[in-house]
Amino acid sequence: SRGMTLYSDDPEDISHDFSGADLFSYLNALMSDPLVLSIDESYDSGVPIIVFRYLDASDATAVFPAFCLKMEGGAVAKVIEVLVSPSDAKLLVVPMTKIFQEEESQLDYLLVQDLGARSDMIGHQVSKLMSKSKLRSMSVVAGGEYARLFTTSTIAGAGAESSLNSAYFGTGDQVLDFRTLQEHSAPNGRSELYFKGAAANESHLVYSGLIKVDKGATSTDA
């Protein structure tokens, strides 16, 4: 498709230098065969891109899906990522989504997670925004016996903006665990956060978050 390129090299190596990296992040980097997508300003922003991952237990009990998305300067796109597993699959899912946005790019990103009731997830979303780029992200999480999602967004360029949103729904004895880090490393950046969920039966919802403002990130609005 015009304006969209698939390849195998990580467009921006942020696997090992973002705040909040942990053992599972490094395992994903070691074990995954990433899907890498680059979008430039010639892409038709009216056509959403859907990345569908069906995770089966036929030959593995742990899977490490990795998705790297590069938004080139001035690019505009809508991207939907879907994670699904069979209802009877007992899997450990360790997904990593990395987003790198060059100057003045705009991205609407949606994650839909509907794993089977016997699967566990320990996931990480990380985004790095350069000057005047804008990210609006939404995560809808309903599946898994235990599901953890750590969302890290770094304002790396002046005037960049990120909006992190999530909706989640717990049933049975599920545990849904959300962690966020809004990191401001450049001046005049803006970040917003809105997470909301509902718990039924014996399910538990967990949330913890941090806003980090680095030295020199003046006029931060978070």
Side-chain angles (χ1 to χ4, degrees), residues 85-96:
S85 69
S87 59
D88 60 346
K90 190 169 179 60
L91 283 174
L92 172 61
V93 182
V94 185
M96 168 71 81

Side-chain angles (χ1 to χ4, degrees), residues 40-196:
D40 64 40
E41 61 182 348
S42 67
Y43 184 76
D44 181 358
S45 61
V47 180
I49 299 168
I50 301 175
V51 178
F52 186 87
R53 294 183 178 273
Y54 182 77
L55 309 172
D56 203 344
S58 58
D59 58 357
T61 55
V63 290
F64 300 86
F67 178 40
C68 301
L69 174 60
K70 179 180 180 180
M71 298 290 295
E72 297 185 13
V76 180
K78 298 178 178 68
V79 177
I80 302 169
E81 184 177 9
V82 181
L83 297 177
V84 177
S85 69
S87 59
D88 60 346
K90 190 169 179 60
L91 283 174
L92 172 61
V93 182
V94 185
M96 168 71 81
T97 297
K98 297 192 297 178
I99 297 168
F100 177 64
Q101 292 189 228
E102 291 185 347
E103 292 79 1
E104 299 185 357
S105 60
Q106 297 183 41
L107 173 65
D108 285 346
Y109 167 79
L110 170 64
L111 169 69
V112 178
Q113 188 268 64
D114 191 21
L115 298 175
R118 300 181 66 205
S119 294
D120 294 325
M121 182 184 86
I122 300 177
H124 208 139
Q125 292 176 8
V126 55
S127 57
K128 186 174 181 180
L129 282 64
M130 304 311 291
S131 297
K132 297 182 180 179
S133 60
K134 295 182 179 180
L135 168 66
R136 184 172 61 176
S137 116
M138 178 72 183
S139 301
V140 179
V141 178
E145 184 174 16
Y146 171 78
R148 188 180 92 184
L149 182 62
F150 189 2
T151 303
T152 302
S153 184
T154 300
I155 302 295
E161 300 180 13
S162 72
S163 175
L164 309 178
N165 306 277
S166 184
Y168 37 98
F169 313 95
T171 61
D173 59 357
Q174 279 183 303
V175 177
L176 303 181
D177 182 350
F178 296 88
R179 309 175 186 192
T180 64
L181 173 62
Q182 297 152 261
E183 181 173 20
H184 287 257
S185 300
N188 301 307
R190 178 179 174 84
S191 65
E192 294 183 345
L193 179 79
Y194 188 70
F195 277 44
K196 192 167 186 177

